[in-house]
Each structure stands twice: as C-alpha cells, then as structure tokens.
Amino acid sequence: MLKLKKVTKVFNKGTINENVVLRDINLDINDGDFVSIIGSNGAGKSTLLNVIAGVFPVDDGSIILDDQDITRLPEYERAKFIGRVFQDPMMGTAPSMTIEENLSMACCRTITRGLRWGLNEKNRKEFKIKLAELGLGLENRMNTKVELLSGGQRQAITLLIATMVKPKLLLLDEHTAALDPSTVRLINDLTEEIVLQKGITTLMITHNMEYAIKMGNRLIMMDRGQVVLDIKGADKALLTVDELVNMFENAANKKFDDDRIMLGLRN
Amino acid sequence: MNLLFTSIEQGLVFGIMAIGVYITFKVLDFPDLTVDGSFPLGAAVASIMIFNGGNPFLALILSAMAGMIAGYITGLLNTRAKISGLLAGILTMTALYSINLRVMGQANVTLLNTKTIFTYIEALGIPYRWGLILAFVIAAAVVKILLDSFLKTQIGFALRATGNNPDMARSLGVNTDAMKTLGLSMSNGLVALSGGLVAQYQGFADIGMGIGTVVAGLASVIIGEMIIGERSVGLATFSALLGSFIYRLSIGIALRLGFATTDLKLLTTVLVIIALSTPRIRSLLRIASS
Ligand SMILES: Nc1ncnc2c1ncn2[C@@H]1O[C@H](COP(=O)(O)OP(=O)(O)OP(=O)(O)O)[C@@H](O)[C@H]1O
Ligand SMILES: [Mg+2]
C-alpha cells in the first residue's frame, strides 16, 4: 500500500556539511500495518516520515501510495491521504482557535474548502461525541482556545483531527515524547484504540522500546539512514527488550548508543 | 461636539483600513507594508475617476480592486519569489509610489465641484454631516459583517490556521501560500477602499497621504485590543473599529493641545513603540514578535 523505492535524502548537498540522511531505503508497508520505528538519534526516522509527508523533496527514488506515485506531490496535497501527529504538542493545533474550530479543520483534509460554514449543528454534535470518547472532559469546553490546554490534551485533539476522516496513512513522530508518563500511557492507549478500530495503516516513531514492542504488528529499526531490522508478525510478538538490543548491536555492528532510549523498565 | 463627530467619521472611514491591517498583522501574522502604498492607490483611483466625471460608487469598487491587485503582487513576491514578507511589502509599496503618480498624473487631485458619494447622499435629503456618518457606518458595518462571516467559513478557518500555525495548516491540506495571497489581497482591497472613501471625504487625493498608514492602522488595532481583547473574531474586528475611533479622537485632542499636524506621526509611532515594548501588553497582543 505504501512503497518506498530506493529513497535517498541528502541535506546540504554539495557543501562540506553534506549529510546523507536516507540511503537507498526500500520499504513495503502493507494495508493495515501498524509499524513502530526505533533507532538512535539522527538515524533519519523523522526525515523518513517528513519525506513521506512531503515536507521536503527526495533526492532520489520514489514513493508510491496505493499505486499512485506521490513523489512530486506538494505537502498540502498529500495531506489528503496522510494524517500526522508531531512530537511537539504545539505543532498539531492552531493555538488561538477554539477546540471545535481546530476539529473542524479535519473535515476538509480530503475535500476542497469552500464558503460553507466551518461549524454547524451537525459537526458540532459529532465533535462532542468524539471528544467525550477521549474521556478528558473536553466535550464541555469546545469553545475554549486550544492554547489553554495541556500538552496531553492537545496531542489527544491532534490525534482526533488526524484520524477523524480515516487517512490512508497515519504518521506519528514521537507523539508522546513531550508528555509525562501517565499521559504517555493515555495517549498510547488512545492511539492503539483508534488505529486498530479504524484499521489505519500507521508508522509510529518512538524511543520507548517497550511500547515499540507492545504496540503494532511490525517493528523497524533504523540506523544511519538505513533500515537495519524489520521484524513482523509472530517474531515481533515474542520479542523482548534485551533481544531487541542484541539484534540491533549485531545488525548495526556497534553498541547501542541511544541516550534517549527508554528500555521500558516496567512501571 | 465637533471633535466627537469628526472622530466618529474618521474612526469609521480609517477603521476600514484598520480592519485591513488586522487581517494581515493579526490573522495572517504577516507584517505587510504594502498598505502605505495601497491606501493612496485607492485614493488615486477613486479621485481621478471622479475628477473625470465617473460614478463615485463605481470608483470605490475600482479602488478596492486596485488594492487587491497590489496585495496579490505582494503575495506572489513572498510565496513565489520567496522574498521575505517585510521586503515584499516594501517593494510593492515603493513601486506603487510611481504608479500612484501615474494614475493621478500629478502630485494631487482636488475634488472641488465634483460628484462624490456624499453628493448623492445629500440629494436624498439627508444633511451633509449625517450623510457622512450614515455612509461610513454602512460601509464599516458591511465590511465588518462580511469579514466576520468569511472568517467563520471553511476557507476562513484555513486562513486563520495559516497565520496561527502554518505547519498544522499544511498538514491538513491547506495551501498556505494561496491563503497568504488571499489574505493580502483582501487586506489591501479594504485599505484601498478606505483610501477611496477618505479621498472623497476630505475632497482631495495626495501622493503623500499614505505615509504612516501601517503605523496608524497598527495603533488602532492595538488600542482596540487593549480595551476589548480578541476573545472572538467578531469582537476583534469591532475592536479594530473602536480602536480606530479612539485613535482619531486622541489625535484630535493632541491637535487641540497645540501639537502640529506634522508632529502626529512621531506621536503615533511613540505610542506604538510603547505598546509593543511593554512586555505585558506585548504578550497580550502577540504582535510584531517576528
Ligand atoms: N531540515 C534539515 N536540514 C539539514 N539537516 C537536517 C534537517 N533535518 C534533519 N537533518 C539532519 O538529518 C539527520 C537525521 O535527522 P532526523 O531528524 O531524521 O533523525 P531522527 O532519527 O528523527 O532522530 P531523533 O531520534 O533525534 O529525532 C540529522 O543528522 C539531522 O541533523
Ligand atoms: Mg526525530
């Protein structure tokens, strides 16, 4: 469903700072896959998602989504099929717009915006139900500006916006990294619930090994611009954190040096 | 009493300009200096048309359209040619100086003994002074209501999100470049409309009449926001109008206190500087941070 063919991304090409961040990446993601992506700092994980979302162009290779070559499509057009949640809770919402106004932005990801009212009786009702499902009490604060909400509340809303109209692909870039541990659990539970319930094909970057193993049906490890591990199905289900670290050290032929990695000590 | 009347008239007619400035500075978060050129552009277009016996209402429509084109060009310079917003506005503004002179054919055009919209309104049997106020109230109200409504549509939300969080907007399928260009066109259209009305109101257009438009508009927006705040879009546009009134009233008072007309730009600038450099007010306004 998503195919990356020999995707290469070079920053500062032709300068002394030239940096090959993605090196001939081939990836074949199946419909309904929920993939967790791990790897050390600077491995190119965010760049991979950014390239898929069209934030910047690739230097080589092509990106195919559902048989459509989207390699040259601008970001705002790819947004028709791709939902995103970023690491920074500030990034996914418009702070001085209200909760309901933010949610209403979701509708038009797939359609052309017009001079119809952004909010009406019908979508307000729908938003209220969806917000109530989050269990954060936000359904009674639909007129509150988002800037007054906590990081976790914002991430929950961003997740709702990104998945309200089912995207072909959901890209999560460390979307719980800026949250406190109990909120992390909340947002991860929510993510799992939405993704599984709607069957959304998802790529999720995380530095938490335990969640990486627990969530999703496939695990990819990146190192220096390449995919060094790709574990699926039953293999993934039986994986432990120790095994994963070992596998990484063999595959990448170096010590596991991610200072931000969380080995997922239980509770 | 006369001071009050004058301030209401001016507050409303320049308030349309202030609403234009609100669109770029506040909604789009784009410091647009085109307005110093598009305001006299509107005045030039309207006055030359009226001077030659044209319909003054049609003249206003053409003023607004000319202003929209000016804003559109600034938008293209910024989004296509990738020139910084500030510089793009300065470039258009500078080019407009020559264009405005071409349009007027000379440095000023006087509208004595011509038919302005106020001639038509007076012909309805409304006293001149009330006619002025009536015309301006209607114009400002129409602009405010139309803009408020627009900002509540799907495109309006996209415009606001573009100014508020462009990354988020793009990730939700908004063509932020197109939105910027749209906002700049709307803003400068309103500014030029205001220019066209002002020319008819004061009876002349002058090549130098645009100097300081941005700062005056900004002062109005800031004053209004300090008093009312921007809890909702409707309140924000209203506060721009109210701010414009208070700004003109303060200027009227300053003149009575013996300041020369030529000192006013300095006074206004000092006022804006104080407002922007006071941290509390600054955080309240979230303006000019970029
Ligand atoms: N816009 C950019 N311009 C230049 N270099 C960039 C840019 N974005 C990323 N890089 C570089 O690309 C490399 C990979 O960055 P990337 O953000 O993809 O890593 P990552 O795997 O997401 O790391 P982390 O776990 O720290 O988020 C880094 O060396 C980074 O400095
Ligand atoms: Mg990253």
Side-chain angles (χ1 to χ4, degrees), chain A residues 97-108 114-128 131 142-144 164, chain B residues 149-157 160:
Chain A
M97 291 169 73
T98 64
I99 294 181
E100 57 181 14
E101 285 169 347
N102 269 279
L103 288 174
S104 82
M105 297 286 299
C107 75
C108 315
L115 288 176
R116 289 172 297 270
W117 296 124
L119 285 164
N120 54 44
E121 198 89 350
K122 188 165 155 272
N123 63 12
R124 275 204 179 94
K125 216 176 262 167
E126 186 192 334
F127 298 157
K128 205 172 181 106
L131 285 169
M142 303 220 316
N143 262 314
T144 306
M164 184 111 49
Chain B
S149 308
F150 172 75
L151 290 176
K152 287 184 190 135
T153 64
Q154 293 170 340
I155 297 182
F157 281 178
R160 289 166 60 197

mmCIF file of all heavy atoms in Angstrom, chain A residues 97-108 114-128 131 142-144 164, chain B residues 149-157 160:
data_model
loop_
_atom_site.group_PDB
_atom_site.id
_atom_site.type_symbol
_atom_site.label_atom_id
_atom_site.label_comp_id
_atom_site.label_asym_id
_atom_site.label_seq_id
_atom_site.Cartn_x
_atom_site.Cartn_y
_atom_site.Cartn_z
ATOM 1 N N MET A 97 -7.196 29.266 17.942
ATOM 2 C CA MET A 97 -8.529 28.845 17.505
ATOM 3 C C MET A 97 -9.105 27.908 18.575
ATOM 4 O O MET A 97 -8.363 27.288 19.330
ATOM 5 C CB MET A 97 -8.456 28.156 16.144
ATOM 6 C CG MET A 97 -8.087 29.142 15.038
ATOM 7 S SD MET A 97 -7.679 28.378 13.448
ATOM 8 C CE MET A 97 -9.284 27.864 12.865
ATOM 9 N N THR A 98 -10.427 27.819 18.617
ATOM 10 C CA THR A 98 -11.052 27.019 19.670
ATOM 11 C C THR A 98 -10.940 25.522 19.352
ATOM 12 O O THR A 98 -10.575 25.149 18.237
ATOM 13 C CB THR A 98 -12.540 27.367 19.823
ATOM 14 O OG1 THR A 98 -13.199 27.017 18.609
ATOM 15 C CG2 THR A 98 -12.733 28.854 20.096
ATOM 16 N N ILE A 99 -11.269 24.697 20.344
ATOM 17 C CA ILE A 99 -11.218 23.251 20.146
ATOM 18 C C ILE A 99 -12.084 22.852 18.955
ATOM 19 O O ILE A 99 -11.651 22.124 18.064
ATOM 20 C CB ILE A 99 -11.704 22.515 21.417
ATOM 21 C CG1 ILE A 99 -10.726 22.766 22.574
ATOM 22 C CG2 ILE A 99 -11.845 21.021 21.153
ATOM 23 C CD1 ILE A 99 -11.113 22.062 23.864
ATOM 24 N N GLU A 100 -13.303 23.362 18.929
ATOM 25 C CA GLU A 100 -14.196 22.942 17.848
ATOM 26 C C GLU A 100 -13.727 23.469 16.491
ATOM 27 O O GLU A 100 -13.866 22.796 15.474
ATOM 28 C CB GLU A 100 -15.657 23.338 18.130
ATOM 29 C CG GLU A 100 -15.889 24.810 18.374
ATOM 30 C CD GLU A 100 -17.358 25.138 18.667
ATOM 31 O OE1 GLU A 100 -18.132 24.205 18.927
ATOM 32 O OE2 GLU A 100 -17.706 26.324 18.608
ATOM 33 N N GLU A 101 -13.139 24.663 16.493
ATOM 34 C CA GLU A 101 -12.618 25.187 15.228
ATOM 35 C C GLU A 101 -11.455 24.341 14.729
ATOM 36 O O GLU A 101 -11.343 24.046 13.536
ATOM 37 C CB GLU A 101 -12.179 26.650 15.389
ATOM 38 C CG GLU A 101 -13.351 27.621 15.461
ATOM 39 C CD GLU A 101 -12.945 29.031 15.873
ATOM 40 O OE1 GLU A 101 -11.808 29.231 16.342
ATOM 41 O OE2 GLU A 101 -13.770 29.943 15.730
ATOM 42 N N ASN A 102 -10.600 23.934 15.659
ATOM 43 C CA ASN A 102 -9.498 23.056 15.287
ATOM 44 C C ASN A 102 -10.010 21.735 14.720
ATOM 45 O O ASN A 102 -9.539 21.274 13.689
ATOM 46 C CB ASN A 102 -8.607 22.786 16.501
ATOM 47 C CG ASN A 102 -7.472 23.777 16.625
ATOM 48 O OD1 ASN A 102 -6.451 23.637 15.952
ATOM 49 N ND2 ASN A 102 -7.650 24.808 17.427
ATOM 50 N N LEU A 103 -10.984 21.155 15.403
ATOM 51 C CA LEU A 103 -11.514 19.872 14.935
ATOM 52 C C LEU A 103 -12.128 20.009 13.548
ATOM 53 O O LEU A 103 -12.032 19.114 12.715
ATOM 54 C CB LEU A 103 -12.558 19.337 15.925
ATOM 55 C CG LEU A 103 -11.989 18.832 17.251
ATOM 56 C CD1 LEU A 103 -13.117 18.466 18.204
ATOM 57 C CD2 LEU A 103 -11.088 17.637 17.033
ATOM 58 N N SER A 104 -12.750 21.173 13.306
ATOM 59 C CA SER A 104 -13.428 21.345 12.018
ATOM 60 C C SER A 104 -12.423 21.388 10.869
ATOM 61 O O SER A 104 -12.784 21.165 9.722
ATOM 62 C CB SER A 104 -14.264 22.609 12.017
ATOM 63 O OG SER A 104 -13.442 23.714 11.744
ATOM 64 N N MET A 105 -11.149 21.678 11.197
ATOM 65 C CA MET A 105 -10.143 21.676 10.133
ATOM 66 C C MET A 105 -9.938 20.281 9.553
ATOM 67 O O MET A 105 -9.407 20.116 8.463
ATOM 68 C CB MET A 105 -8.796 22.176 10.677
ATOM 69 C CG MET A 105 -8.778 23.600 11.174
ATOM 70 S SD MET A 105 -8.814 24.795 9.844
ATOM 71 C CE MET A 105 -7.301 24.393 8.981
ATOM 72 N N ALA A 106 -10.347 19.267 10.339
ATOM 73 C CA ALA A 106 -10.117 17.888 9.918
ATOM 74 C C ALA A 106 -10.972 17.504 8.713
ATOM 75 O O ALA A 106 -10.518 16.785 7.825
ATOM 76 C CB ALA A 106 -10.411 16.934 11.067
ATOM 77 N N CYS A 107 -12.179 18.023 8.689
ATOM 78 C CA CYS A 107 -13.148 17.609 7.664
ATOM 79 C C CYS A 107 -12.586 17.801 6.279
ATOM 80 O O CYS A 107 -12.773 17.030 5.377
ATOM 81 C CB CYS A 107 -14.418 18.432 7.765
ATOM 82 S SG CYS A 107 -14.181 20.089 7.122
ATOM 83 N N CYS A 108 -11.835 18.918 6.160
ATOM 84 C CA CYS A 108 -11.509 19.377 4.813
ATOM 85 C C CYS A 108 -10.164 18.893 4.347
ATOM 86 O O CYS A 108 -9.647 19.369 3.357
ATOM 87 C CB CYS A 108 -11.584 20.889 4.753
ATOM 88 S SG CYS A 108 -13.038 21.515 5.552
ATOM 89 N N GLY A 114 -14.551 25.381 1.008
ATOM 90 C CA GLY A 114 -15.393 26.334 0.307
ATOM 91 C C GLY A 114 -15.909 27.391 1.255
ATOM 92 O O GLY A 114 -15.393 27.579 2.351
ATOM 93 N N LEU A 115 -16.979 28.076 0.827
ATOM 94 C CA LEU A 115 -17.543 29.140 1.654
ATOM 95 C C LEU A 115 -18.681 28.629 2.526
ATOM 96 O O LEU A 115 -19.527 29.386 2.964
ATOM 97 C CB LEU A 115 -17.998 30.303 0.776
ATOM 98 C CG LEU A 115 -16.838 31.114 0.173
ATOM 99 C CD1 LEU A 115 -17.361 32.189 -0.769
ATOM 100 C CD2 LEU A 115 -15.984 31.749 1.262
ATOM 101 N N ARG A 116 -18.722 27.325 2.750
ATOM 102 C CA ARG A 116 -19.679 26.801 3.725
ATOM 103 C C ARG A 116 -19.186 27.117 5.126
ATOM 104 O O ARG A 116 -17.984 27.290 5.335
ATOM 105 C CB ARG A 116 -19.810 25.277 3.558
ATOM 106 C CG ARG A 116 -20.536 24.847 2.302
ATOM 107 C CD ARG A 116 -20.451 23.334 2.122
ATOM 108 N NE ARG A 116 -19.073 22.904 1.939
ATOM 109 C CZ ARG A 116 -18.480 22.812 0.749
ATOM 110 N NH1 ARG A 116 -19.147 23.101 -0.344
ATOM 111 N NH2 ARG A 116 -17.217 22.438 0.647
ATOM 112 N N TRP A 117 -20.113 27.188 6.081
ATOM 113 C CA TRP A 117 -19.702 27.440 7.457
ATOM 114 C C TRP A 117 -18.761 26.333 7.920
ATOM 115 O O TRP A 117 -18.999 25.160 7.665
ATOM 116 C CB TRP A 117 -20.900 27.484 8.402
ATOM 117 C CG TRP A 117 -21.865 28.605 8.128
ATOM 118 C CD1 TRP A 117 -23.201 28.488 7.877
ATOM 119 C CD2 TRP A 117 -21.574 30.004 8.069
ATOM 120 N NE1 TRP A 117 -23.749 29.733 7.649
ATOM 121 C CE2 TRP A 117 -22.775 30.679 7.767
ATOM 122 C CE3 TRP A 117 -20.406 30.764 8.227
ATOM 123 C CZ2 TRP A 117 -22.844 32.069 7.621
ATOM 124 C CZ3 TRP A 117 -20.481 32.153 8.088
ATOM 125 C CH2 TRP A 117 -21.687 32.778 7.797
ATOM 126 N N GLY A 118 -17.715 26.738 8.634
ATOM 127 C CA GLY A 118 -16.782 25.748 9.149
ATOM 128 C C GLY A 118 -17.411 24.897 10.235
ATOM 129 O O GLY A 118 -17.079 23.735 10.404
ATOM 130 N N LEU A 119 -18.336 25.499 10.969
ATOM 131 C CA LEU A 119 -19.001 24.772 12.043
ATOM 132 C C LEU A 119 -20.505 24.824 11.842
ATOM 133 O O LEU A 119 -21.052 25.834 11.407
ATOM 134 C CB LEU A 119 -18.671 25.407 13.391
ATOM 135 C CG LEU A 119 -17.260 25.135 13.925
ATOM 136 C CD1 LEU A 119 -16.917 26.112 15.022
ATOM 137 C CD2 LEU A 119 -17.155 23.700 14.407
ATOM 138 N N ASN A 120 -21.174 23.734 12.138
ATOM 139 C CA ASN A 120 -22.624 23.725 12.094
ATOM 140 C C ASN A 120 -23.132 22.747 13.141
ATOM 141 O O ASN A 120 -22.356 22.033 13.776
ATOM 142 C CB ASN A 120 -23.123 23.361 10.691
ATOM 143 C CG ASN A 120 -22.527 22.046 10.205
ATOM 144 O OD1 ASN A 120 -22.461 21.075 10.956
ATOM 145 N ND2 ASN A 120 -22.079 22.008 8.962
ATOM 146 N N GLU A 121 -24.433 22.757 13.285
ATOM 147 C CA GLU A 121 -25.084 21.898 14.267
ATOM 148 C C GLU A 121 -24.563 20.460 14.193
ATOM 149 O O GLU A 121 -24.200 19.852 15.193
ATOM 150 C CB GLU A 121 -26.594 21.911 13.942
ATOM 151 C CG GLU A 121 -27.448 21.449 15.064
ATOM 152 C CD GLU A 121 -27.853 22.609 15.977
ATOM 153 O OE1 GLU A 121 -27.326 23.738 15.865
ATOM 154 O OE2 GLU A 121 -28.709 22.378 16.802
ATOM 155 N N LYS A 122 -24.492 19.975 12.958
ATOM 156 C CA LYS A 122 -24.188 18.561 12.742
ATOM 157 C C LYS A 122 -22.756 18.217 13.170
ATOM 158 O O LYS A 122 -22.542 17.279 13.938
ATOM 159 C CB LYS A 122 -24.392 18.233 11.257
ATOM 160 C CG LYS A 122 -24.286 16.764 10.937
ATOM 161 C CD LYS A 122 -24.857 16.466 9.543
ATOM 162 C CE LYS A 122 -24.247 15.210 8.972
ATOM 163 N NZ LYS A 122 -22.995 15.426 8.228
ATOM 164 N N ASN A 123 -21.769 18.988 12.681
ATOM 165 C CA ASN A 123 -20.410 18.575 13.038
ATOM 166 C C ASN A 123 -20.090 18.898 14.497
ATOM 167 O O ASN A 123 -19.296 18.226 15.124
ATOM 168 C CB ASN A 123 -19.353 19.093 12.046
ATOM 169 C CG ASN A 123 -19.223 20.590 11.980
ATOM 170 O OD1 ASN A 123 -19.757 21.313 12.816
ATOM 171 N ND2 ASN A 123 -18.497 21.075 10.984
ATOM 172 N N ARG A 124 -20.749 19.923 15.054
ATOM 173 C CA ARG A 124 -20.560 20.180 16.489
ATOM 174 C C ARG A 124 -20.980 18.964 17.305
ATOM 175 O O ARG A 124 -20.303 18.558 18.248
ATOM 176 C CB ARG A 124 -21.391 21.381 16.930
ATOM 177 C CG ARG A 124 -20.719 22.706 16.704
ATOM 178 C CD ARG A 124 -21.266 23.766 17.644
ATOM 179 N NE ARG A 124 -20.599 25.032 17.431
ATOM 180 C CZ ARG A 124 -21.055 25.997 16.625
ATOM 181 N NH1 ARG A 124 -22.184 25.835 15.968
ATOM 182 N NH2 ARG A 124 -20.369 27.122 16.477
ATOM 183 N N LYS A 125 -22.115 18.384 16.928
ATOM 184 C CA LYS A 125 -22.623 17.213 17.655
ATOM 185 C C LYS A 125 -21.633 16.061 17.547
ATOM 186 O O LYS A 125 -21.301 15.392 18.523
ATOM 187 C CB LYS A 125 -23.983 16.807 17.058
ATOM 188 C CG LYS A 125 -24.973 16.281 18.103
ATOM 189 C CD LYS A 125 -26.333 15.992 17.478
ATOM 190 C CE LYS A 125 -27.332 17.120 17.685
ATOM 191 N NZ LYS A 125 -28.528 16.972 16.835
ATOM 192 N N GLU A 126 -21.136 15.869 16.325
ATOM 193 C CA GLU A 126 -20.160 14.807 16.074
ATOM 194 C C GLU A 126 -18.896 15.025 16.928
ATOM 195 O O GLU A 126 -18.386 14.096 17.554
ATOM 196 C CB GLU A 126 -19.810 14.828 14.586
ATOM 197 C CG GLU A 126 -18.925 13.695 14.131
ATOM 198 C CD GLU A 126 -18.395 13.952 12.715
ATOM 199 O OE1 GLU A 126 -19.067 14.685 11.950
ATOM 200 O OE2 GLU A 126 -17.302 13.445 12.413
ATOM 201 N N PHE A 127 -18.428 16.278 16.965
ATOM 202 C CA PHE A 127 -17.212 16.583 17.731
ATOM 203 C C PHE A 127 -17.433 16.298 19.208
ATOM 204 O O PHE A 127 -16.552 15.804 19.902
ATOM 205 C CB PHE A 127 -16.796 18.046 17.561
ATOM 206 C CG PHE A 127 -16.444 18.425 16.147
ATOM 207 C CD1 PHE A 127 -16.500 19.746 15.725
ATOM 208 C CD2 PHE A 127 -16.054 17.454 15.232
ATOM 209 C CE1 PHE A 127 -16.182 20.087 14.421
ATOM 210 C CE2 PHE A 127 -15.735 17.792 13.927
ATOM 211 C CZ PHE A 127 -15.805 19.111 13.525
ATOM 212 N N LYS A 128 -18.628 16.643 19.672
ATOM 213 C CA LYS A 128 -18.920 16.453 21.084
ATOM 214 C C LYS A 128 -18.812 14.976 21.459
ATOM 215 O O LYS A 128 -18.215 14.621 22.472
ATOM 216 C CB LYS A 128 -20.326 16.976 21.397
ATOM 217 C CG LYS A 128 -20.489 17.379 22.837
ATOM 218 C CD LYS A 128 -21.819 18.078 23.075
ATOM 219 C CE LYS A 128 -21.888 18.468 24.537
ATOM 220 N NZ LYS A 128 -21.707 19.879 24.787
ATOM 221 N N LEU A 131 -15.125 13.911 21.347
ATOM 222 C CA LEU A 131 -14.385 14.447 22.487
ATOM 223 C C LEU A 131 -14.749 13.690 23.759
ATOM 224 O O LEU A 131 -13.898 13.400 24.597
ATOM 225 C CB LEU A 131 -14.669 15.932 22.660
ATOM 226 C CG LEU A 131 -13.978 16.867 21.655
ATOM 227 C CD1 LEU A 131 -14.543 18.273 21.754
ATOM 228 C CD2 LEU A 131 -12.479 16.889 21.879
ATOM 229 N N MET A 142 -15.727 23.038 24.317
ATOM 230 C CA MET A 142 -15.478 23.118 22.875
ATOM 231 C C MET A 142 -15.151 24.531 22.396
ATOM 232 O O MET A 142 -14.561 24.712 21.344
ATOM 233 C CB MET A 142 -16.685 22.577 22.109
ATOM 234 C CG MET A 142 -17.014 21.151 22.510
ATOM 235 S SD MET A 142 -17.495 20.076 21.179
ATOM 236 C CE MET A 142 -18.605 21.069 20.231
ATOM 237 N N ASN A 143 -15.569 25.538 23.202
ATOM 238 C CA ASN A 143 -15.306 26.922 22.812
ATOM 239 C C ASN A 143 -14.016 27.478 23.406
ATOM 240 O O ASN A 143 -13.726 28.661 23.278
ATOM 241 C CB ASN A 143 -16.471 27.809 23.232
ATOM 242 C CG ASN A 143 -17.399 28.036 22.066
ATOM 243 O OD1 ASN A 143 -16.923 28.332 20.966
ATOM 244 N ND2 ASN A 143 -18.692 27.880 22.284
ATOM 245 N N THR A 144 -13.271 26.611 24.085
ATOM 246 C CA THR A 144 -12.017 27.050 24.688
ATOM 247 C C THR A 144 -10.923 27.109 23.633
ATOM 248 O O THR A 144 -10.840 26.245 22.771
ATOM 249 C CB THR A 144 -11.591 26.034 25.774
ATOM 250 O OG1 THR A 144 -12.668 25.883 26.682
ATOM 251 C CG2 THR A 144 -10.354 26.512 26.510
ATOM 252 N N MET A 164 -9.930 11.752 12.175
ATOM 253 C CA MET A 164 -11.381 11.962 12.070
ATOM 254 C C MET A 164 -11.912 11.437 10.741
ATOM 255 O O MET A 164 -12.855 10.661 10.684
ATOM 256 C CB MET A 164 -11.690 13.452 12.194
ATOM 257 C CG MET A 164 -13.158 13.730 12.188
ATOM 258 S SD MET A 164 -13.804 14.293 13.751
ATOM 259 C CE MET A 164 -12.728 15.567 14.248
ATOM 260 N N SER B 149 -18.140 36.957 8.839
ATOM 261 C CA SER B 149 -18.763 35.758 8.279
ATOM 262 C C SER B 149 -17.732 34.935 7.530
ATOM 263 O O SER B 149 -17.657 33.723 7.689
ATOM 264 C CB SER B 149 -19.899 36.139 7.320
ATOM 265 O OG SER B 149 -20.780 37.017 7.956
ATOM 266 N N PHE B 150 -16.938 35.629 6.720
ATOM 267 C CA PHE B 150 -15.932 34.904 5.942
ATOM 268 C C PHE B 150 -14.996 34.112 6.851
ATOM 269 O O PHE B 150 -14.660 32.966 6.562
ATOM 270 C CB PHE B 150 -15.122 35.880 5.089
ATOM 271 C CG PHE B 150 -13.953 35.231 4.412
ATOM 272 C CD1 PHE B 150 -14.140 34.411 3.310
ATOM 273 C CD2 PHE B 150 -12.665 35.406 4.903
ATOM 274 C CE1 PHE B 150 -13.069 33.780 2.707
ATOM 275 C CE2 PHE B 150 -11.585 34.776 4.306
ATOM 276 C CZ PHE B 150 -11.794 33.966 3.199
ATOM 277 N N LEU B 151 -14.605 34.729 7.954
ATOM 278 C CA LEU B 151 -13.648 34.070 8.843
ATOM 279 C C LEU B 151 -14.265 32.876 9.569
ATOM 280 O O LEU B 151 -13.578 32.149 10.277
ATOM 281 C CB LEU B 151 -13.059 35.058 9.844
ATOM 282 C CG LEU B 151 -12.105 36.092 9.228
ATOM 283 C CD1 LEU B 151 -11.629 37.101 10.253
ATOM 284 C CD2 LEU B 151 -10.904 35.417 8.568
ATOM 285 N N LYS B 152 -15.571 32.676 9.390
ATOM 286 C CA LYS B 152 -16.199 31.502 10.003
ATOM 287 C C LYS B 152 -16.465 30.403 8.982
ATOM 288 O O LYS B 152 -17.030 29.366 9.314
ATOM 289 C CB LYS B 152 -17.529 31.901 10.655
ATOM 290 C CG LYS B 152 -17.314 32.697 11.938
ATOM 291 C CD LYS B 152 -18.629 32.994 12.623
ATOM 292 C CE LYS B 152 -18.430 33.969 13.748
ATOM 293 N NZ LYS B 152 -19.452 35.025 13.746
ATOM 294 N N THR B 153 -16.077 30.638 7.744
ATOM 295 C CA THR B 153 -16.262 29.592 6.725
ATOM 296 C C THR B 153 -15.051 28.662 6.734
ATOM 297 O O THR B 153 -14.061 28.910 7.412
ATOM 298 C CB THR B 153 -16.377 30.214 5.318
ATOM 299 O OG1 THR B 153 -15.143 30.864 5.006
ATOM 300 C CG2 THR B 153 -17.512 31.219 5.247
ATOM 301 N N GLN B 154 -15.162 27.603 5.950
ATOM 302 C CA GLN B 154 -14.045 26.647 5.864
ATOM 303 C C GLN B 154 -12.775 27.343 5.376
ATOM 304 O O GLN B 154 -11.692 27.135 5.914
ATOM 305 C CB GLN B 154 -14.421 25.502 4.920
ATOM 306 C CG GLN B 154 -15.540 24.627 5.474
ATOM 307 C CD GLN B 154 -16.078 23.644 4.456
ATOM 308 O OE1 GLN B 154 -15.902 23.821 3.248
ATOM 309 N NE2 GLN B 154 -16.742 22.602 4.932
ATOM 310 N N ILE B 155 -12.926 28.184 4.343
ATOM 311 C CA ILE B 155 -11.740 28.901 3.850
ATOM 312 C C ILE B 155 -11.246 29.878 4.903
ATOM 313 O O ILE B 155 -10.046 30.048 5.116
ATOM 314 C CB ILE B 155 -12.056 29.646 2.534
ATOM 315 C CG1 ILE B 155 -12.434 28.651 1.443
ATOM 316 C CG2 ILE B 155 -10.862 30.483 2.089
ATOM 317 C CD1 ILE B 155 -12.715 29.289 0.096
ATOM 318 N N GLY B 156 -12.191 30.519 5.612
ATOM 319 C CA GLY B 156 -11.810 31.444 6.663
ATOM 320 C C GLY B 156 -11.000 30.753 7.756
ATOM 321 O O GLY B 156 -9.991 31.281 8.224
ATOM 322 N N PHE B 157 -11.434 29.558 8.143
ATOM 323 C CA PHE B 157 -10.673 28.786 9.138
ATOM 324 C C PHE B 157 -9.273 28.479 8.592
ATOM 325 O O PHE B 157 -8.283 28.545 9.319
ATOM 326 C CB PHE B 157 -11.384 27.467 9.461
ATOM 327 C CG PHE B 157 -12.545 27.619 10.422
ATOM 328 C CD1 PHE B 157 -13.314 26.519 10.771
ATOM 329 C CD2 PHE B 157 -12.857 28.848 10.983
ATOM 330 C CE1 PHE B 157 -14.387 26.636 11.660
ATOM 331 C CE2 PHE B 157 -13.920 28.979 11.872
ATOM 332 C CZ PHE B 157 -14.691 27.867 12.204
ATOM 333 N N ARG B 160 -7.149 31.517 8.918
ATOM 334 C CA ARG B 160 -6.721 31.761 10.300
ATOM 335 C C ARG B 160 -5.667 30.747 10.736
ATOM 336 O O ARG B 160 -4.680 31.099 11.395
ATOM 337 C CB ARG B 160 -7.940 31.688 11.231
ATOM 338 C CG ARG B 160 -8.866 32.883 11.050
ATOM 339 C CD ARG B 160 -10.205 32.664 11.706
ATOM 340 N NE ARG B 160 -10.100 32.432 13.133
ATOM 341 C CZ ARG B 160 -11.068 31.898 13.872
ATOM 342 N NH1 ARG B 160 -12.201 31.533 13.292
ATOM 343 N NH2 ARG B 160 -10.906 31.747 15.154
#
